[in-house]
Amino acid sequence: MAPTGNHSAPRARLAILLSGRGSNMVALVQAVQQGVLQGLAEVAVVFSNVPDAPGLATAAALGCPTASLSSQGRKRAEFDAEVVDVLQQYRPDYVVLAGYMRILSPTFIRAFAGRILNIHPADTHQHQGLHAYEWAFDNHLPETKITVHLVDEGLDTGPILAQHPVDLRGAATLAEVERRGLAVEHRVYAETLAALIKQERHAERSRSISTSD
């Protein structure tokens, strides 16, 4: 983590990964600039596996460094090894997946073990993988849950950091389900990341105190 001043705690460096428009990325950047992550984190880079992803232009407009590497036609482990090399240049403390439409290889996960976060628009015990809002809508669920979890080598199987309900009663269209879900996603992701950073800061302080004793 890079220091921000002589007496201030270091800010966590975030690498935010996306493949599309990056609405969760925007919410995270706004939280860094003027919300719950202000003073706690900084955006080291916004990366995409799609060089013309709209989210990259948005990130640049928000003042964030950006990088990309096309995954088209690439073998997963080989591509991920190159992405790891790119990201490590930015020294991230956390890799934050924000609509990154890739299943990560063990090569990637082991490089950032315990430091990769994902947000999933369902209870990961009930639904893994893509199309979670469609699943909730098709099954007429009165409620779904937004899950923030650490990423392990399974598909949406990592330790859960936070879950928040989304009331779907009266949501007559898939678009309305998504609207309600994204509103929760955009708030919960930043709040969970802020809590995690504070928790790790506290643990570091406790370790330093015990060491000095």
Side-chain angles (χ1 to χ4, degrees):
M1 296 186 185
T4 59
N6 292 334
H7 304 291
S8 59
R11 290 183 293 172
R13 293 175 60 80
L14 310 179
I16 304 176
L17 276 55
L18 56 82
S19 297
R21 61 197 170 104
S23 69
N24 267 308
M25 175 274 297
V26 171
L28 289 167
V29 172
Q30 290 174 340
V32 166
Q33 293 177 344
Q34 56 190 19
V36 294
L37 288 168
Q38 190 173 24
L40 289 175
E42 60 185 321
V43 179
V45 66
V46 175
F47 173 87
S48 182
N49 65 307
V50 182
D52 60 353
L56 286 177
T58 303
L62 289 167
C64 302
T66 63
S68 65
L69 193 63
S70 176
S71 61
Q72 190 168 5
R74 300 290 306 279
K75 292 182 178 177
R76 189 153 57 101
E78 176 189 273
F79 174 75
D80 278 2
E82 287 192 34
V83 175
V84 168
D85 287 343
V86 170
L87 294 181
Q88 284 178 336
Q89 297 173 33
Y90 295 90
R91 297 175 290 111
D93 295 300
Y94 298 98
V95 175
V96 186
L97 307 182
Y100 190 61
M101 307 305 287
R102 301 274 302 170
I103 295 175
L104 300 176
S105 67
T107 301
F108 189 107
I109 292 166
R110 290 168 190 169
F112 302 106
R115 297 186 288 140
I116 309 171
L117 282 77
N118 186 42
I119 191 161
H120 184 69
D123 183 338
T124 51
H125 296 130
Q126 295 182 316
H127 180 90
Q128 299 82 37
L130 299 174
H131 311 303
Y133 286 131
E134 289 90 333
W135 167 77
F137 179 68
D138 291 344
N139 287 281
H140 308 289
L141 298 186
E143 176 184 281
T144 191
K145 287 182 179 176
I146 303 300
T147 304
V148 181
H149 64 96
L150 293 175
V151 176
D152 62 12
E153 293 186 27
L155 180 62
D156 298 325
T157 56
I160 292 173
L161 298 175
Q163 283 190 319
H164 287 261
V166 181
D167 185 356
L168 299 181
R169 291 173 297 179
T173 64
L174 176 57
E176 176 60 14
V177 169
E178 292 175 344
R179 186 193 68 77
R180 294 187 191 186
L182 284 169
V184 176
E185 286 188 44
H186 295 165
R187 174 177 57 82
V188 165
Y189 214 177
E191 289 176 352
T192 304
L193 185 52
L196 179 64
I197 294 168
K198 288 176 182 176
Q199 178 184 325
E200 296 207 348
R201 277 186 178 181
H202 179 73
E204 285 176 10
R205 280 197 296 269
S206 298
R207 283 193 296 269
S208 65
I209 290 169
S210 63
T211 302
S212 62
D213 291 345

